[in-house]
Amino acid sequence: MSSDVNEAFALERSDQLEAARNWEGELRARLAAGTLERLPDGRYRVLTGWDAGEILSVRGIPQHGLDVSRGTAALYSSVPAWHNVGSVIPGGISDIDTVLEHGSIDYQVETVPALYSWNGETRTDEGLFHTVRSDTGASLGMVGSGYEVIQNRRAFEFLEELVNDSGVIWESAGALRGGKKVFVSMRLPRHVTVDAEGINDLVVPFIVAINSHDGRSPYQVVVTPWRPVCGNTERLAVADALTRWTVRHTRNATDRIHEARRTLGLSIKYFDRWAAEETALARTDLAIDEFSKMVDALWTPDDSATARSTRTREVRRDRLHSLFAEEAERTGRTAYAGERAVTGYLDHYAPIRPSAASGLKGNEQGARGLRLLEGTDDDLKTTAHRRLMLLRQR
């Protein structure tokens, strides 16, 4: 049975709500049993067991991290999406202006001089500017004089040709971090199958374009295989195939965006090459000790690690081995199962600590979604992929 990225997000939201309720019940039980004590700041200290002395924060209902500057979550989707918020248009949209409107990303961005106060007078910093939303007046970032704004429509309109030419539909669009980061995604009209004669694993190909207005990150177009059975993003670097194309916000940036029309054709070829390599992994046996060696290669053990770091490493190894066992039960004890375990861990379980600078401090789920969107862990996934591909030569 297949689903898509948005259905996976909706299912994940349901699981998160249930987990939050379970956590609250567990918290009350541990307080009653005297194994936790409540601190004045609302956190809790563990009193017994291995984690005695550790400070815990309450796990509230996860937040979505989407922009709400206009009073509702800035998200359009063709199906109930992310966390059951935003504008849902069944069947999808093929018109770019309608997508921008329903995703609440139809605003312009302007640059205005950066001002500062000195001895009671307002002065202008000649070398710095603020990027500002035209609809709300909110500052999105601080940039230099060489920064070029890439307007949202210009950033995404070239993909509309794919809608007209190949029948793909805009799948979703939205804004994160108060509109500093915006995105659109398109699902290609064909699926990719890994090991059709064996495990017959279905993969859904997406193209995602990401624009930013914070002065910190480039405009990006990425191709992303999405594995519906577990919700993992399987974006990996394979031979001679582009998975990412970027443009910095400098002079003539908007002109260079249209070069993506040419390079995107190379990126789309990625899916066939990716499926061929994944099929090879699905036909390569992987022993438990080989999987352990790969884990240690990805997260090198530190002989001088503290007790806390050692415990964190043990928890990670246990989680990875559990994921490997689950995948192996479905697809066999293969290199493919090992790779799925690593991508699953990075996408759903690896600890993250959103910083204040990211605009998502305290919002772990929003930060995790942004990491998936931007491909923060792509290099680590590719390292695992390449290591496992070497096993074919045994």
Side-chain angles (χ1 to χ4, degrees), residues 170-382:
W170 298 104
E171 184 74 16
S172 60
L176 299 159
R177 298 173 56 216
K180 296 179 181 180
K181 188 90 63 175
V182 296
F183 67 91
V184 296
S185 72
M186 308 178 78
R187 181 166 59 176
L188 298 182
R190 68 187 184 99
H191 293 157
V192 176
T193 303
V194 174
D195 192 16
E197 298 176 358
I199 61 174
N200 196 34
D201 222 1
L202 178 69
V203 176
V204 182
F206 281 83
I207 296 175
V208 182
I210 309 165
N211 193 21
S212 70
H213 302 295
D214 58 6
R216 296 184 178 188
S217 50
Y219 168 83
Q220 305 177 65
V221 178
V222 296
V223 291
T224 301
W226 185 273
R227 185 167 175 253
V229 72
C230 63
N232 292 2
T233 52
E234 307 293 347
R235 194 159 58 233
L236 313 164
V238 300
D240 302 320
L242 297 175
T243 59
R244 181 183 300 274
W245 190 86
T246 64
V247 174
R248 296 180 61 192
H249 289 260
T250 54
R251 187 176 179 180
N252 299 324
T254 53
D255 293 335
R256 291 196 302 276
I257 285 177
H258 292 279
E259 295 175 14
R261 291 194 185 107
R262 175 175 53 83
T263 58
L264 199 55
L266 298 176
S267 295
I268 293 175
K269 294 178 182 177
Y270 163 82
F271 291 108
D272 290 331
R273 297 177 184 177
W274 177 86
E277 292 195 6
E278 295 301 290
T279 296
L281 294 184
R283 298 173 181 176
T284 302
D285 292 336
L286 181 67
I288 293 293
D289 63 333
E290 290 175 318
F291 180 72
S292 295
K293 289 177 181 178
M294 181 186 69
V295 169
D296 287 342
L298 295 175
W299 293 276
T300 306
D302 184 357
D303 293 335
S304 61
T306 63
R308 184 181 181 87
S309 296
T310 300
R311 176 59 178 164
T312 298
R313 177 171 171 268
E314 291 175 351
V315 169
R316 179 175 57 234
R317 283 175 61 91
D318 288 346
R319 172 65 70 178
L320 282 160
H321 276 274
S322 176
L323 291 170
F324 179 47
E326 292 174 8
E327 289 290 344
E329 185 173 345
R330 192 183 71 85
T331 64
R333 189 171 293 175
T334 64
Y336 183 74
E339 186 177 82
R340 302 289 73 70
V342 171
T343 57
Y345 174 78
L346 292 171
D347 285 354
H348 305 294
Y349 300 102
I352 58 175
R353 294 177 180 174
S355 65
S358 71
L360 292 168
K361 185 176 182 180
N363 184 352
E364 180 178 334
Q365 295 305 321
R368 193 178 296 281
L370 186 58
R371 287 174 68 89
L372 288 173
L373 194 67
E374 295 183 323
T376 303
D377 296 313
D378 284 0
D379 287 345
L380 199 54
K381 292 177 181 179
T382 294

Side-chain angles (χ1 to χ4, degrees), residues 112-135:
V112 299
L115 307 178
Y116 64 97
S117 179
W118 178 258
N119 288 337
E121 67 177 37
T122 299
R123 297 187 177 183
T124 301
D125 190 324
E126 300 295 341
L128 292 177
F129 298 82
H130 288 280
T131 51
V132 177
R133 286 181 61 156
S134 61
D135 57 344

